[in-house]
Amino acid sequence: MTAVLGGCGLGSGSDEVTLKLVAADYGDSEANSSRKYWDGLVQEYEKKHPNVTVDVTVHSWNDVDREVKEMVAAGDAPDMAQIGAYADYAADGLLYSADDLLSISTQADFVSQLADAGEVNSTQYGMPFAASTRLLFYNKALFAKAGLSAPKTWEDLAADAAALKAEGVKYPYALPLGAEEAQAETMQWLLSGGGGYTENLGTSYGLDSAENVATLTWLKDDLVGKGLTGPVAPGKLNRAAAFAAFADGEVGMLNGHPTLMKMAAKKGVKFGMVPMPGIDGPTHYSMGVADWMTAFRKNGHAEQVGDFLDFVYDEKNVLAFSREYDLLPVTASASDVMSTAAQDKDLRPFLEELPVSELYPVGRTSWATVSAAVKKQIGAAVRPGGSPEVVLGRLQSTAVRAEGAAE
């Protein structure tokens, strides 16, 4: 079976098959659209497999999950979809598992915590496709002017932010808790305070834990309450706006992922990157994010889909994609190359965080509901007069209800 899935079973005698793939666009312009990446990959694959046609449709991240959901609802599921979530489809029995499709060598090559995060009830349905981690970015010029060094603790961060404010910096620390991606900034802070979205080894939600309440209380009192997060209320500040402000030299510090490096460099901003500060020192856990490849059962084609995905996850293809879009490889073999290759030195600090990263609880069908609630409500926890305990309590109730509905 491994030999068949490895490509030996799709010779000239196979029936002609068209595979439909819906993918997300990671590019920021027509010049580096993911369309170009997939066109090159598919052309190479089809040359070796003349009886297989791979039809790729690329959508923006704003649309791709909705497009796939509508296709599935209409009974027209694609063979493969490269999207942001998979648990609902897996729970409804619509997906092939990784065991159904991939060669043993491909499965074994996935970075272990990414493979684990792709599981529902101990079966892997989400195949990691791209990953990133977060680091604290700081503006070197603004720090030098204020005589500062990179923070290691929350106390350091608050002191640095106060000094930057005194120097007239617009956003001493940019805290984007707006609806665009509040769940990410929130999770990074909760991890730095020894908490997170889940507890009991990830078996249940714990949004209203004492650690989480303490973290948001500190943010409210020691950063937001002292005017150290800039002129826009955190609940109104989105990640894209915060990143743009950093690239314009208006931000002293913020959490960022690898794409911020390119944005800042284009504008000539000199920056440093360090692990997220924690209560007593650099945090032990970074936030990790993964996007997922899924394969729908509706059209069959398991053999052809598996063979194509084995090709997609070949080391050279994973490296090419990661390097093009400043993302982290999802396979151990490509990660090993990136950890030593000179051309990847800028991504290496993020790669070093991956083994100690924690991902969203994406294997829970309730996570979509919880994430949406966090985006909508978390900003209220840190605004003047807000109550972290009340907001987190509401979110915990939402999580418990959503978890019950999913059972």
Side-chain angles (χ1 to χ4, degrees), residues 97-154:
S97 70
D99 286 338
D100 294 328
L101 302 170
L102 301 176
S103 67
I104 293 172
S105 59
T106 297
Q107 283 187 265
D109 199 24
F110 285 134
V111 174
S112 60
Q113 75 264 41
L114 299 180
D116 291 344
E119 293 183 354
V120 174
N121 296 326
S122 302
T123 298
Q124 185 183 357
Y125 294 96
M127 293 164 277
F129 184 76
S132 69
T133 56
R134 303 295 168 98
L135 292 170
L136 184 79
F137 282 67
Y138 64 95
N139 184 308
K140 284 187 171 181
L142 297 179
F143 265 59
K145 183 179 178 183
L148 304 175
S149 57
K152 296 180 180 180
T153 67
W154 287 359

Side-chain angles (χ1 to χ4, degrees), residues 7 12 36 71 90 123 130 134 139 147 182 227 309 333 362 367:
S12 58
K36 290 190 173 183
M71 292 173 72
T123 298
R134 303 295 168 98
N139 184 308
L309 291 179
S333 59
V362 289
W367 170 241

Side-chain angles (χ1 to χ4, degrees), residues 189-265:
W189 274 100
L190 297 184
L191 291 172
S192 75
Y197 287 129
T198 60
E199 58 185 4
N200 300 324
L201 298 177
T203 59
S204 59
Y205 284 105
L207 283 98
D208 59 350
S209 69
E211 292 85 357
N212 291 349
V213 171
T215 295
L216 292 189
T217 299
W218 187 88
L219 277 175
K220 173 179 173 290
D221 294 342
D222 289 72
L223 281 189
V224 181
K226 294 182 179 178
L228 303 180
T229 54
V232 180
K236 301 291 185 182
L237 182 65
N238 282 326
R239 178 192 57 81
F243 277 21
F246 186 84
D248 287 337
E250 298 177 334
V251 175
M253 299 172 280
L254 83 169
N255 282 315
H257 51 65
T259 57
L260 183 57
M261 295 190 298
K262 188 176 292 185
M263 289 179 62

